[in-house]
């Protein structure tokens, strides 16, 4: 679950090794590269420029930043998905967007927006543009994924499998939105929060192909939830599914990962988190929302600027 809070964008360089070896950190940025509220960042690289997108903040549905060196970032005074372009099914309050470029050159922005049918839950939508910085326009009057009875859906993450050219969208079924106690819900463990994978047409990026499958679900070590999926494939064919676990407004929130030899799994979770509070020389607080480049060599993520507070 992602609620408005002060977060920051940081950069992580990784070296991906084959199973059974773990993912190892090569370098982490020395402090924030964006110190303002830029939660749940996603990024895409195009013609030597890195573009990043974040959860609603600062009066913009989808804020944008860009960088030419992946170190110094500039916030762009532009909304990637302005209010007038939202579809009729959502009231706004957009979380965790992701952008991908299709083979035909068009761009698709995936996002989770508050459902008008049940404003306590989110659904996933898609919008398209001929320009990477938008404005994006909704591609349908209906959401791409909206399992309201299961808690809704959040955290879409697009991935083109380099071995097949097939396009997928991973997302979280937000079971903890159904309740169960605790600061993020589901403290009693009564709800599932699975990571799903939906194939979509690579021609338009919005038409579902078949039904979604489950890639991973929470267990006791994950606390009440897992969320914020991001997929990559290493040079030797290993699929990496990054995700966050525990509650975002506690010090237990982290980034972990699981590996598989096929995109549909089965995935095996790592023995310990990749990022957790206290990392980065002790400066990281509740790191999460990691987004990975397709080659698994560059990442962005957010962390709290002050100690996590569940209030």
């Amino acid at each position: 679950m992602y609620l408005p809070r002060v977060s920051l964008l940081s950069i992580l360089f990784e070296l991906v090794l084959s199973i059974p070896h773990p993912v190892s950190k090569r370098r982490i940025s020395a402090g924030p590269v964006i110190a303002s509220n830029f939660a749940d960042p996603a990024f895409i690289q195009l013609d030597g420029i890195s573009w990043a997108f974040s959860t609603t903040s600062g009066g913009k549905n989808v804020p944008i930043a860009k960088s030419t060196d992946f170190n110094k970032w500039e916030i762009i005074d532009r909304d990637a998905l302005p209010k007038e372009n939202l579809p009729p099914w959502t009231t706004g309050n957009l979380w965790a967007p992701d952008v991908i470029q299709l083979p035909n050159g068009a761009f698709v922005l995936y996002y989770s927006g508050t459902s008008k049918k049940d404003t306590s839950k989110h659904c996933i939508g898609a919008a398209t543009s001929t320009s990477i910085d938008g404005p994006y326009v909704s591609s349908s009057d209906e959401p791409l994924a909206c399992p309201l009875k299961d808690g809704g859906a959040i955290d879409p993450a697009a991935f083109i499998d380099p071995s097949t050219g097939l396009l997928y969208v991973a997302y979280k079924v937000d079971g903890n939105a159904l309740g169960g106690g605790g600061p993020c819900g589901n403290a009693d463990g009564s709800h599932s929060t699975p990571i799903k994978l939906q194939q979509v047409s690579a021609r338009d990026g919005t038409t579902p192909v078949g039904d979604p499958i489950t890639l991973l679900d929470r267990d006791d070590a994950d606390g009440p939830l897992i969320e914020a999926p991001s997929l990559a494939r290493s040079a030797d064919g290993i699929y990496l599914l990054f995700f966050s676990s525990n509650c975002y407004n506690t010090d237990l929130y982290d980034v972990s990962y699981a590996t598989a030899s096929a995109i549909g799994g089965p995935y095996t979770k790592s023995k310990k988190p990749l990022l957790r509070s206290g990392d980065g020389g002790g400066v990281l607080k509740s790191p999460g929302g990691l987004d990975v480049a397709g080659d698994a060599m560059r990442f962005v993520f957010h962390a709290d600027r002050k100690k996590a507070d569940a209030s």
Side-chain angles (χ1 to χ4, degrees):
M1 179 182 295
Y2 297 94
L3 299 179
R5 62 196 180 99
V6 176
S7 300
L8 52 92
L9 174 66
S10 295
I11 305 301
L12 181 67
F13 291 83
E14 295 293 315
L15 175 63
V16 178
L17 303 176
S18 301
I19 295 174
H21 303 291
V23 173
S24 60
K25 293 187 285 290
R26 185 186 299 176
R27 183 172 71 85
I28 186 171
S29 62
V33 293
I34 296 179
S36 58
N37 191 7
F38 207 84
D40 313 316
F43 80 102
I44 179 173
Q45 295 172 295
L46 181 70
D47 299 330
I49 299 177
S50 296
W51 297 83
F53 304 84
S54 87
T55 280
T56 293
S57 70
K60 293 180 173 57
N61 284 322
V62 180
I64 308 172
K66 69 176 183 178
S67 174
T68 57
D69 63 4
F70 213 63
N71 183 42
K72 296 179 181 179
W73 290 78
E74 174 190 2
I75 302 292
I76 306 302
D77 187 19
R78 186 178 179 90
D79 193 338
L81 183 55
K83 182 178 180 179
E84 60 269 21
N85 291 356
L86 290 176
W89 61 263
T90 182
T91 63
N93 186 25
L94 308 186
W95 293 351
D98 195 23
V99 171
I100 198 164
Q101 186 175 29
L102 300 177
N104 64 12
F107 297 92
V108 183
L109 183 150
Y110 302 96
Y111 61 91
S112 48
T114 299
S115 170
K116 283 185 178 178
K117 291 183 179 179
D118 183 347
T119 56
S120 70
K121 299 177 179 64
H122 276 60
C123 299
I124 289 172
T128 59
S129 176
T130 57
S131 299
I132 192 169
D133 58 346
Y136 288 81
V137 178
S138 293
S139 57
S140 173
D141 287 345
E142 298 296 328
L144 179 63
C146 194
L148 291 177
K149 66 180 180 61
D150 298 319
I154 64 172
D155 300 346
F159 173 67
I160 295 179
D161 189 336
S163 69
T164 63
L166 298 178
L167 173 59
Y168 299 89
V169 178
Y171 61 90
K172 172 206 176 184
V173 175
D174 201 22
N176 50 295
L178 297 172
C184 282
N186 206 34
D188 60 5
S190 59
H191 303 294
S192 177
T193 65
I195 301 300
K196 295 284 189 176
L197 186 70
Q198 172 69 65
Q199 184 183 344
V200 295
S201 169
R203 293 190 301 274
D204 60 22
T206 61
T207 302
V209 178
D211 296 323
I213 62 173
T214 297
L215 297 184
L216 204 66
D217 206 343
R218 55 172 289 279
D219 56 34
D220 289 344
D222 298 310
L225 58 87
I226 57 173
E227 60 188 11
S230 187
L231 278 164
R233 185 178 187 268
S234 69
D236 50 4
I238 301 302
Y239 292 89
L240 298 111
L241 174 61
F242 295 89
F243 61 94
S244 288
S245 60
N246 292 290
C247 185
Y248 77 96
N249 53 12
T250 72
D251 282 344
L252 294 176
Y253 201 55
D254 61 28
V255 173
S256 194
Y257 67 96
T259 55
S261 58
I263 191 168
Y267 282 84
T268 301
K269 292 180 181 177
S270 61
K271 294 182 179 179
K272 61 180 182 179
L274 178 66
L275 291 170
R276 52 190 165 187
S277 292
D279 286 352
V283 301
L284 288 186
K285 299 293 183 182
S286 309
L290 180 145
D291 188 49
V292 58
D295 61 1
M297 294 301 292
R298 289 186 175 189
F299 300 72
V300 296
F301 64 97
H302 71 226
D304 285 335
R305 296 187 64 184
K306 59 183 180 179
K307 187 174 182 179
D309 183 353
S311 62

